[in-house]
Amino acid sequence: MKTEFDMVIVGGGPIGIACGLEAKKNGLNYLILEKGPIVNSLFHYPSNMQFFSSSEKLEIDEIPFISNEAKPKRDEALEYYRRIVTSNKLNIHLFEKVENVQKNENVFTIVSDKATYTSKQVVISTGFYDLPNLLNVPGENLEKVVHYYDNPHYYSGQKVAVIGASNSAIDAALECWRKGAEVSLIIRGSEVGQRVKYWVRPDIINRIEEGSIKAYYNTTIKSISKDHINLTAKGEDIAIENDFVLALTGYKPNFKFLEKLGVNTSNDEKKLPEYNPDTMETNVAGLYLAGVICGGMETHKWFIENSRIHAKMIVKNIISSAITTS
């Protein structure tokens, strides 16, 4: 098995795949390492999820993405990206987790749970879906509390508290209610998030106004017990009966991994990583960022459609740098 490369890409999501395609087209010796299946994060999205973006905006390398509706579903995206990987015979190792990356002089050593590789350049394209934003309240570790949601059938006939005001929380609240759950929606702010999909936001507001879904605005979670969830709403303590808690409060990049690699991040709450926006190279020479991870905690700033260009930027810089030093 070959272990020396021009470029190792950590993360086999859509942007990591785009980087692999670009590397292959330009004759670079590359490897993609993905800790799960192809597009692991998308695979763990809710089974009924529909993208906000239309299919052409999710395309990479100008490969057409044909979907039944203008905005594709999760399974259509899985099929699209899988076919790109298999049809182009991309060099990707699945179910191989990167545990460490170190730079010695001008060469990176990449250690996975299966092998060790060396590479002149490394691209980090790991997204942000692996680490949920925790509530940090007593009872969060109970089995009834989950930070990822898949299918509403599981919650039919149950009392479900959905925490959050963005797309994932609102989708889950509506789906669970439509499958027969008694849904309480816990929102920290004063309204349903403004970035909720435009065809979904009126739906949830109507369900709240008619009383089908009980919404608690300006509310925080005090604690979670086996049979209740304890809230503070507008200064008043409330306990509501509860079977399951869907804490869909967002996710964040693995900042510890970036810091271990030597990537600087801003000192404010945004934790923006340092990189050159023209080349995507970080403050560590030869180490690049691609995709959502570029936004730090601002995970709503980067999407497939506006970060797929990172692949071309990175490979162009690698090639031009090689020409300059040769």
Side-chain angles (χ1 to χ4, degrees):
M1 180 177 66
K2 187 172 181 61
T3 60
E4 298 179 3
F5 298 93
D6 296 321
M7 184 170 80
V8 166
I9 302 155
V10 182
I15 305 306
I17 291 171
C19 290
L21 283 170
E22 194 65 21
K24 182 176 182 179
K25 286 196 305 181
N26 286 276
L28 294 179
N29 183 18
Y30 72 96
L31 170 66
I32 304 171
L33 294 173
E34 169 56 65
K35 72 175 187 177
I38 297 170
V39 290
N40 180 65
S41 292
L42 296 189
F43 177 77
H44 287 96
Y45 280 4
S47 55
N48 298 324
M49 193 210 77
Q50 185 172 27
F51 283 86
F52 187 93
S53 302
S54 55
S55 58
E56 71 270 12
K57 292 183 178 180
L58 301 177
E59 294 174 354
I60 54 176
D61 201 38
E62 299 182 351
I63 299 172
F65 182 176
I66 308 301
S67 56
N68 290 327
E69 301 177 49
K71 300 178 187 301
K73 301 289 182 65
R74 163 191 172 270
D75 283 357
E76 292 176 308
L78 293 181
E79 179 70 7
Y80 172 71
Y81 295 116
R82 181 185 66 81
R83 288 297 302 274
I84 288 177
V85 169
T86 57
S87 297
N88 289 278
K89 297 181 174 58
L90 293 185
N91 187 22
I92 183 169
H93 290 186
L94 302 173
F95 298 98
E96 184 168 348
K97 183 179 180 180
V98 172
E99 297 180 335
N100 193 22
V101 178
Q102 290 186 331
K103 186 178 183 183
N104 298 302
E105 296 183 355
N106 294 321
V107 177
F108 291 92
T109 300
I110 302 96
V111 180
S112 78
D113 58 0
K114 295 183 179 179
T116 298
Y117 310 94
T118 59
S119 181
K120 298 174 184 177
Q121 286 91 19
V122 172
V123 179
I124 306 299
S125 180
T126 50
F128 68 98
Y129 199 56
D130 290 334
L131 297 174
N133 293 320
L134 299 178
L135 302 172
N136 294 316
V137 300
E140 187 172 12
N141 61 341
L142 291 173
E143 189 175 350
K144 64 184 274 187
V145 182
V146 297
H147 295 279
Y148 295 90
Y149 162 77
D150 180 28
N151 193 291
H153 174 83
Y154 187 80
Y155 303 102
S156 179
Q158 302 297 293
K159 294 179 173 64
V160 179
V162 180
I163 304 172
S166 296
N167 279 299
S168 57
I170 301 308
D171 283 345
L174 287 168
E175 287 188 6
C176 288
W177 170 71
R178 289 197 163 96
K179 297 300 181 183
E182 182 180 320
V183 176
S184 299
L185 184 59
I186 317 301
I187 296 177
R188 183 174 57 181
S190 60
E191 63 176 353
V192 172
Q194 289 291 332
R195 288 194 295 270
V196 170
K197 289 173 280 196
Y198 63 84
W199 66 94
V200 173
R201 196 170 189 273
D203 189 2
I204 187 65
I205 290 173
N206 288 336
R207 303 293 76 74
I208 292 169
E209 289 180 350
E210 72 185 14
S212 297
I213 293 175
K214 172 66 174 177
Y216 294 85
Y217 297 109
N218 300 304
T219 299
T220 56
I221 315 301
K222 286 185 62 180
S223 63
I224 302 167
S225 66
K226 180 180 178 182
D227 301 314
H228 292 80
I229 180 169
N230 303 301
L231 317 171
T232 299
K234 300 179 181 178
E236 179 184 358
D237 291 341
I238 302 171
I240 59 176
E241 291 186 7
N242 173 255
D243 297 308
F244 291 99
V245 175
L246 304 183
L248 305 178
T249 52
Y251 309 91
K252 59 186 176 184
N254 190 338
F255 293 113
K256 289 184 178 179
F257 182 59
L258 285 182
E259 291 165 3
K260 189 176 182 181
L261 296 176
V263 178
N264 297 330
T265 56
S266 62
N267 294 323
D268 57 15
E269 61 183 14
K270 295 179 180 179
K271 295 187 71 66
L272 297 171
E274 181 180 339
Y275 64 91
N276 183 332
D278 295 322
T279 65
M280 309 310 296
E281 189 172 21
T282 68
N283 57 282
V284 180
L287 181 65
Y288 297 81
L289 300 182
V292 178
I293 197 169
C294 299
M297 287 299 293
E298 293 186 312
T299 55
H300 60 281
K301 290 293 183 68
W302 291 101
F303 305 94
I304 297 171
E305 58 260 42
N306 66 352
S307 61
R308 54 190 175 182
I309 188 63
H310 293 171
K312 293 183 181 297
M313 296 165 64
I314 291 169
V315 172
K316 179 181 178 181
N317 187 66
I318 289 173
I319 292 174
S320 61
S321 297
I323 294 172
T324 301
T325 55
S326 62

